[in-house]
């Protein structure tokens, strides 16, 4: 079988600034992925059930958004296959899907454009370009989505995947002030900045989501990317990442309140938890540091512009022709510098400040899955205790003559044993999933940072070259004084 | 910044004026002490003297008080920077502007220029105080400095009224009008550049913080992903160290060339303003003397005539000297500003090239990073 989606395609002409370059040496046999490929999907049917108590906890705070019916991931495979052009998919086994998830070449490009007004709503056009991903019907897409649609997507994914250990990328923050300005049609620098900030955040959010091999196949994600019409979330108060953060924190508090003292048999989890806690502290520090840098850079731009103006005025007052010309040229150079400082401030902001902010928020999701594991463990412990009680009760009944009650007790014990086994499997499953997810997270982290840094350095080099050009021009003019 | 006299003048100075140096600045209790080095004109050898600000004031005072020199009030006196001490008050630091930066290096440069200007001045260099200041091993400034006799603009009670007094000479009316505009413009440009420099310094500090914070993100362990991330953090930290260096360089270039140049120009425009004001005051005095002479009763007439003649002579002397000074200064000023801008451009070009090279190197490092 020639598997077309394994070949490394050349980078498509990118619409977005979030290119993920394919630079791999072939399928990565990361040790963490050495599981039996069948296993992941065999569990899938049991991963999400409508009656999952974790889901209730997730949804118990605040107004619950309307969620499209949750279907088990296996449905991803079934109905769509018939629609794809790519025949090979119909022959596909779970092995190949598993292999796809470890293949680093990634063929999807998403770009989110500036908002438009459609009727009374503000929508963002979303364009995707894919090559040879046979999960999708077409190569290129363009849909229009409202901000609440993005939040709705996230809340659906969070409710489906967080509690089983998947690190679901958080959605961008809601901002009442910013949005009001845009709705009112205010056209000034701060509202333009807000629009760009949001656009970029939505784009990064989608890219992070589709980069996740499990989330990419989720029907809600596919529907989001492809359908021309999306069912509206009934409640407009979709979960923003702030809301999710609150919820995660509440879950964490619940964990603490229950004083769950988990007997951590696995040192890996303890070490990872500590590690993520200290990473959170570091990232926040870095974020504050960069924000300060961005602030000063903007200040420099303003001061440079003022300096340029004053130099121009001095040039105008100057009698001596050549000196006057030199001063005017100085003003021009400084105006150019002002522009470069602004560009630099944007680079600082989008490539670092936002990146660090994203990771601070991502770490909240990471913390969330760790807490869910603890809750899962607790559930398992509770079941075991309950089983023990039921056994004791049954033992007591042995000495009575209530045979029907005894039978009932025996039946209950059988059920309970089943539940204990299930809970144990759940716990082991979430532990496995988290291990994989953490590995994926740490790998993505390196890629993410490297990509941003390279873009940043490229912009720095470009800026310096323009600076040099400016000074050359200036030198030429002042030499004639 | 050098401004050499075009003509060879008779100077009582035994040292070379254009390369007077302030080699060192030391802390002497509360005061700053400056080591002044000047080259002997005859033969080889140097004079090394230690002077503090009081000594500079003594020198300036002596230059101001040359009543016997005709038209002395028409001289554009080289401006002396405000007094700086080991712990200078914030208000004075603000007034000093560029000169308050960089561990007193710009301040020393400004004092250096002051001495060079004095030594190069045809009238001023003849004053014995200059020789004493530059060559005498003992500090001359022990004497109490009397308030100078000149009508400082800021001290004149009716300064504003006199300042606007219409001139009898187009040359001077133009000079006064032009000076007014230039003084304001130059002051503004200097202030704005100072703000730019101060922000550049803030950026350098922020880069340093970010660079240090990144090093704290290094994660120990054998895990390849952790090692990869640690490497990224370390290399990024180096990037921001580079950025800190280059921003600091840019800011230092701004100060040492354009900053100093604009600061000097600004203070000189003030000095010209003072001189023109002195002349205007003399004009007012002269016009008074003329009226008095006209109105005088026969008894007083002769005396008034004497006063009128004296005032006229003084005014003519001042105007003559002032005209020479203004003409000389104009040529020198243009050259000085051009030099400042050229030097600024050259230094910034060099810094920018170094910076571009550094960033290109960093870029190659990151591009070459391959993580499994």
């Amino acid at each position: 079988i020639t598997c077309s989606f394994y070949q490394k395609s050349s980078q498509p002409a990118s619409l977005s600034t979030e290119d993920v370059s394919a630079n791999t040496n072939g399928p990565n046999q990361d040790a963490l992925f050495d599981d039996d490929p069948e296993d992941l999907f065999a569990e899938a049917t049991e991963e999400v059930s409508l009656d999952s108590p974790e889901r209730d906890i997730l949804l118990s705070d605040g107004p619950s958004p309307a969620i499209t019916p949750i279907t088990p991931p296996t449905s991803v495979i079934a109905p769509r296959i018939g629609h794809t052009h790519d025949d090979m998919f119909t022959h596909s086994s779970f092995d190949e899907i598993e292999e796809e998830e470890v293949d680093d070449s990634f063929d999807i490009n998403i770009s989110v454009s500036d908002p438009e007004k459609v009727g009374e709503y503000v929508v963002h056009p979303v364009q995707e370009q894919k090559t040879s991903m046979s999960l999708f019907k077409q190569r290129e897409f363009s849909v229009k989505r409202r901000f609440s649609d993005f939040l709705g997507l996230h809340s659906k994914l969070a409710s489906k995947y967080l509690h089983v250990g998947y690190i679901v990328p958080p959605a961008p923050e809601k901002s009442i002030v910013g949005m009001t300005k845009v709705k009112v049609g205010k056209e000034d620098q701060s509202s333009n900045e807000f629009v760009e900030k949001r656009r970029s955040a939505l784009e990064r959010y989608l890219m992070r989501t589709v980069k996740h091999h499990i989330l990419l196949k989720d029907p809600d994600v596919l529907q989001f990317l492809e359908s021309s019409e999306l069912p509206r979330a009934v409640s407009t108060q979709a979960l923003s990442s702030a809301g999710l953060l609150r919820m995660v924190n509440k879950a964490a508090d619940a964990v603490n309140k229950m004083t769950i003292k988990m007997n951590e048999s696995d040192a890996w989890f303890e070490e990872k938890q500590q590690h993520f806690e200290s990473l959170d502290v570091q990232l926040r520090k870095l974020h504050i540091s960069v924000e300060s840098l961005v602030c000063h850079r903007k200040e420099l731009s303003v001061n440079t512009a003022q300096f340029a103006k004053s130099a121009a005025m001095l040039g105008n007052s100057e009698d001596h022709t050549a000196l006057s010309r030199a001063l005017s040229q100085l003003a021009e150079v400084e105006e150019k510098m002002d522009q470069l400082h602004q560009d630099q401030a944007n680079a600082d902001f989008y490539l670092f400040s936002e990146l660090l902010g994203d990771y601070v928020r991502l770490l909240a999701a990471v913390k969330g899955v760790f807490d869910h594991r603890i809750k899962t463990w607790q559930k398992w412990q509770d079941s075991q205790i309950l089983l023990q009680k039921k056994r004791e009760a049954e033992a007591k009944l042995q000495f009575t003559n209530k045979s029907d009650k005894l039978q009932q007790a025996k039946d209950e014990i059988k059920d309970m044993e089943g539940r204990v086994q299930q809970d144990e499997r759940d716990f082991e499953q979430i532990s496995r999933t988290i291990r994989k997810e953490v590995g994926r997270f740490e790998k993505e982290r390196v890629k993410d940072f490297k990509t941003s840094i390279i873009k940043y350095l490229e912009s720095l080099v470009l800026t310096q070259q323009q600076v040099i050009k400016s000074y050359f021009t200036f030198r030429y003019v002042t030499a004639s004084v | 910044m050098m401004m050499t006299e075009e003509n060879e003048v008779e100077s009582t100075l035994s040292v070379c004026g254009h390369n007077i140096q302030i080699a060192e600045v030391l802390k002497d209790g509360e005061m700053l002490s400056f080591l002044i080095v000047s080259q002997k004109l005859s033969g080889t050898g140097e004079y090394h003297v230690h002077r503090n600000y009081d000594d500079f004031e003594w020198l300036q005072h002596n230059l101001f008080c040359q009543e016997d020199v005709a038209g002395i009030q028409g001289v554009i006196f080289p401006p002396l920077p405000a007094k700086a001490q080991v712990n200078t008050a914030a208000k004075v630091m603000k007034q000093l502007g560029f000169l308050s930066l960089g561990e007193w290096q710009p301040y020393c440069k400004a004092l250096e220029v002051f001495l060079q200007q004095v030594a190069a001045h045809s009238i001023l260099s003849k004053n014995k105080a200059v020789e004493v200041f530059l060559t005498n091993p003992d500090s001359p400034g022990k004497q109490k400095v009397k308030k100078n006799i000149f009508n400082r603009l800021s001290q004149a009670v009716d300064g504003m009224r006199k300042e606007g007094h219409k001139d009898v000479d187009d040359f001077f009316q133009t000079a006064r009008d032009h000076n007014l505009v230039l003084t304001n413009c130059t002051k503004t440009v200097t202030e704005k550049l100072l703000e730019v420099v101060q922000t550049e310094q803030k950026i350098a500090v922020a880069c340093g913080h970010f660079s240090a914070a990144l090093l704290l993100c290094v994660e120990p362990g054998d895990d390849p992903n952790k090692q990869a991330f640690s490497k990224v953090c370390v290399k990024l930290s180096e990037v921001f160290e580079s950025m800190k260096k280059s921003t600091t360089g840019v800011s230092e270039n701004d100060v040492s060339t354009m900053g100093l140049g604009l600061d000097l120009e600004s203070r000189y425009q003030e000095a010209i303003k003072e001189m023109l004001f002195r002349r205007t005051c003399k004009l007012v005095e002269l016009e008074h003397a003329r009226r008095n002479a006209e109105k005088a009763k026969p008894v007083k007439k002769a005396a008034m005539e004497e006063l009128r003649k004296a005032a006229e002579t003084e005014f003519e002397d001042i105007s003559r000297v002032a005209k020479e000074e203004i003409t000389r200064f104009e040529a020198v000023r243009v050259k000085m500003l051009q030099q400042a801008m050229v030097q600024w451009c050259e230094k910034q070009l060099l810094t920018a090239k170094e910076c571009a090279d550094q960033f290109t190197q960093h870029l190659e490092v990151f591009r070459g990073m391959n993580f499994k």
Side-chain angles (χ1 to χ4, degrees), chain A residues 4 13 53 73 94 146 184 210 221 334 417 464:
Chain A
S4 63
F94 291 97
R146 295 174 62 189
V184 163
V210 300
V221 171
E334 288 301 300
E417 281 170 350
Q464 283 310 304

Side-chain angles (χ1 to χ4, degrees), chain A residues 23 25 28 30 271-272 275 279 282 285-286 289-290 292-293 296-297 299-300 303-304 306-307 310-311 313-314 317-320 323 326-327 330 333-334 344 352 356 439 442-443 445-446 449-450 453-454 456-458 460-461 464 467-468 471-472 474-475 478-479 481, chain B residues 178 181-182 185-186 188-189 192-193 195-196 199-200 202-203 206-207 209-210 213-214 216-217 219 223 225-226 228-229 232 236 239-240 243 247 258 262 330 333-334 337-338 341-342 344-346 348-349 351-353 355-356 359-360 362-363 366-367 369-372:
Chain A
N23 52 350
N25 303 312
N28 187 351
D30 189 331
E271 188 247 310
K272 277 301 172 193
H275 164 242
L279 180 63
Q282 296 312 330
K285 263 197 219 146
L286 284 175
S289 203
V290 170
S292 152
L293 179 64
H296 292 319
R297 199 86 77 174
E299 203 187 316
L300 181 61
N303 290 342
T304 305
Q306 287 183 343
F307 173 63
S310 68
M313 273 188 67
L314 184 62
S317 319
E318 185 52 58
D319 278 341
H320 194 277
L323 184 58
L327 286 165
L330 174 64
V333 167
E334 288 301 300
Q344 192 64 65
F352 282 119
L356 289 165
E442 291 188 331
K443 212 153 124 191
R445 176 177 65 157
V446 173
F449 272 71
K450 184 183 161 187
I453 292 168
I454 286 178
Y456 188 70
L457 285 168
E458 284 170 350
L460 284 180
V461 171
Q464 283 310 304
V467 165
I468 291 169
Y471 284 131
F472 266 126
F474 182 74
R475 184 210 253 172
T478 50
V481 170
Chain B
H178 196 55
V181 171
L182 274 186
C185 284
T186 312
T188 308
V189 175
K192 294 304 169 192
L193 182 60
E195 280 169 22
V196 166
T199 314
E200 285 167 347
K202 282 189 212 168
I203 289 177
C207 287
H209 281 155
F210 190 57
L214 279 166
L216 296 175
C217 293
E219 298 163 1
D223 183 290
N225 285 326
K226 270 195 185 173
F229 187 66
V232 164
L236 186 61
V239 170
F240 278 90
M243 195 182 286
T247 308
M258 190 88 80
L262 286 173
E330 267 307 303
R333 165 184 173 266
V334 166
L337 280 173
Q338 181 219 351
M341 285 195 271
V342 165
W344 172 80
C345 182
E346 292 301 323
Q348 296 292 32
L349 251 177
T351 304
K353 281 185 192 157
C355 183
F359 287 142
T360 307
H362 287 301
L363 180 58
F366 272 96
R367 279 188 178 146
M369 278 189 201
N370 272 315
F371 304 116
K372 284 192 277 285

Side-chain angles (χ1 to χ4, degrees), chain A residues 192-397:
Chain A
N192 286 339
E193 278 176 8
F194 170 79
V195 165
E196 177 52 27
K197 188 176 168 183
R198 169 162 285 192
R199 184 207 67 76
S200 174
L202 292 174
E203 199 173 87
R204 294 193 312 271
Y205 164 67
L206 281 184
M207 281 301 283
R208 282 218 174 84
T209 304
V210 300
K211 269 193 244 176
H212 195 301
H213 57 278
I214 298 292
L215 298 180
L216 177 58
K217 300 188 203 113
D218 183 279
D220 285 315
V221 171
L222 297 172
Q223 187 184 43
F224 182 93
L225 293 176
E226 298 182 325
S227 302
S228 44
E229 289 285 322
L230 265 194
R232 285 272 166 269
V234 168
S235 164
T236 52
Q237 272 184 292
L239 277 175
S240 69
S241 67
L244 182 66
L245 192 61
R246 268 197 299 280
M247 210 164 290
V248 163
N249 287 337
K250 281 212 171 107
D253 288 343
V255 164
N256 292 333
K257 276 191 194 121
M258 287 191 262
T259 59
I260 297 179
K261 206 60 182 130
M262 178 172 167
N263 298 331
E264 188 57 82
S265 53
D266 197 338
W268 186 93
F269 281 92
E270 197 159 328
E271 188 247 310
K272 277 301 172 193
Q273 198 139 8
Q274 280 172 359
H275 164 242
F276 282 127
E277 258 161 50
S278 80
L279 180 63
D280 184 50
V281 169
Q282 296 312 330
L283 287 181
R284 281 174 198 274
K285 263 197 219 146
L286 284 175
H287 191 219
I288 290 171
S289 203
V290 170
E291 284 193 316
S292 152
L293 179 64
V294 171
C295 184
H296 292 319
R297 199 86 77 174
K298 285 187 178 160
E299 203 187 316
L300 181 61
S301 157
V302 168
N303 290 342
T304 305
Q306 287 183 343
F307 173 63
K309 256 201 216 118
S310 68
M313 273 188 67
L314 184 62
N316 286 339
S317 319
E318 185 52 58
D319 278 341
H320 194 277
T321 328
L323 184 58
S324 172
R325 190 167 60 234
L327 286 165
S328 301
Q329 189 62 35
L330 174 64
E332 269 187 51
V333 167
E334 288 301 300
E335 272 166 24
K336 180 76 182 146
M337 292 300 160
D338 167 24
Q339 189 54 54
L340 294 175
H341 290 314
Q342 282 181 44
D343 293 344
Q344 192 64 65
N346 283 337
D348 292 339
F349 181 73
Y350 286 105
L351 295 171
F352 282 119
S353 184
E354 290 287 82
L355 176 72
L356 289 165
D358 285 352
Y359 269 85
V360 167
R361 287 183 284 272
L362 260 171
L363 276 184
V366 171
K367 186 172 191 293
V369 301
F370 272 82
D371 287 339
H372 275 298
R373 175 175 170 271
I374 293 177
K375 291 223 298 268
T376 310
W377 177 84
Q378 186 58 50
K379 182 164 179 269
W380 174 34
Q381 301 307 305
D382 290 345
S383 309
Q384 284 178 308
I385 290 168
L386 199 54
L387 175 63
Q388 184 58 28
K389 286 206 178 105
K390 286 199 190 285
R391 282 191 176 137
E392 285 165 11
E394 191 246 11
K396 284 200 185 118
L397 281 175

Side-chain angles (χ1 to χ4, degrees), chain B residues 72-313:
Chain B
I72 187 73
Q73 295 196 39
V75 166
I76 303 171
F77 286 88
L80 181 65
K83 182 173 182 178
Q85 291 179 283
V86 173
N87 294 313
T88 310
K91 203 167 141 196
V92 178
M93 291 293 260
K94 197 162 180 238
Q95 185 196 352
L96 284 172
F98 280 104
L99 305 186
S100 71
L101 302 174
E103 297 293 318
W104 302 122
Q105 291 312 309
Y107 189 78
C108 288
K109 255 278 168 272
L111 289 178
E112 211 175 83
V113 168
F114 169 75
L115 292 174
Q116 288 171 359
Q117 299 290 61
V118 168
H121 198 285
S122 50
I123 299 174
L124 299 178
S125 63
K126 293 200 176 88
N127 191 302
K128 274 204 240 140
V130 183
E131 176 77 18
V132 167
F133 181 93
L134 290 171
T135 62
N136 199 309
D138 294 324
S139 172
K142 301 286 197 298
Q143 307 163 31
K144 266 280 184 208
V145 175
K146 288 180 281 179
K147 217 181 198 160
N148 76 69
I149 59 167
F150 284 173
N151 293 329
R152 276 256 146 105
L153 202 62
S154 46
Q155 292 161 6
V157 169
D158 44 1
M160 288 304 283
R161 188 162 57 82
K162 279 188 189 164
E163 205 183 349
H165 189 91
K166 198 158 190 309
D167 212 296
V168 295
D169 187 335
D170 272 345
F171 175 85
F172 283 102
Q173 188 61 56
T174 311
R176 282 162 62 188
D177 295 338
H178 196 55
N179 169 263
L180 189 63
V181 171
L182 274 186
T183 314
N184 289 332
C185 284
T186 312
K187 188 154 165 263
T188 308
V189 175
T190 313
E191 277 171 10
K192 294 304 169 192
L193 182 60
L194 185 60
E195 280 169 22
V196 166
V197 165
Q198 285 166 338
T199 314
E200 285 167 347
Q201 288 173 340
K202 282 189 212 168
I203 289 177
V205 168
C207 287
H209 281 155
F210 190 57
S211 174
L214 279 166
L215 290 177
L216 296 175
C217 293
V218 169
E219 298 163 1
D222 295 328
D223 183 290
N225 285 326
K226 270 195 185 173
Q227 286 185 338
F229 187 66
S230 297
K231 186 169 180 198
V232 164
C233 288
V234 167
K235 290 298 166 191
L236 186 61
S237 171
E238 286 172 19
V239 170
F240 278 90
E241 252 329 287
S242 292
M243 195 182 286
K244 177 183 174 184
K245 266 205 211 104
S246 85
T247 308
T248 306
V250 165
S251 143
E252 282 171 356
N253 294 342
D254 282 336
V255 172
S256 67
T257 57
M258 190 88 80
L260 275 183
L262 286 173
D263 170 80
L264 183 66
E265 168 73 3
S266 195
R267 286 185 292 120
Y268 253 105
Q269 292 295 339
E270 287 289 336
I272 293 170
K273 194 178 191 177
E274 305 262 341
M275 181 277 277
L276 290 170
F277 181 67
R278 289 194 293 270
R279 180 184 161 278
T280 308
C281 290
K282 262 295 174 243
L283 175 60
V284 171
E285 216 182 280
L286 172 60
E287 287 174 358
H288 265 154
R290 281 191 182 138
R291 277 201 292 277
N292 288 344
E294 268 176 56
K295 290 193 218 150
K297 302 216 171 95
V299 178
K300 293 252 176 107
K301 194 96 180 195
M304 288 300 125
E305 277 297 312
E306 278 301 308
L307 284 173
R308 182 191 62 80
K309 266 200 207 124
E312 258 176 27
T313 314

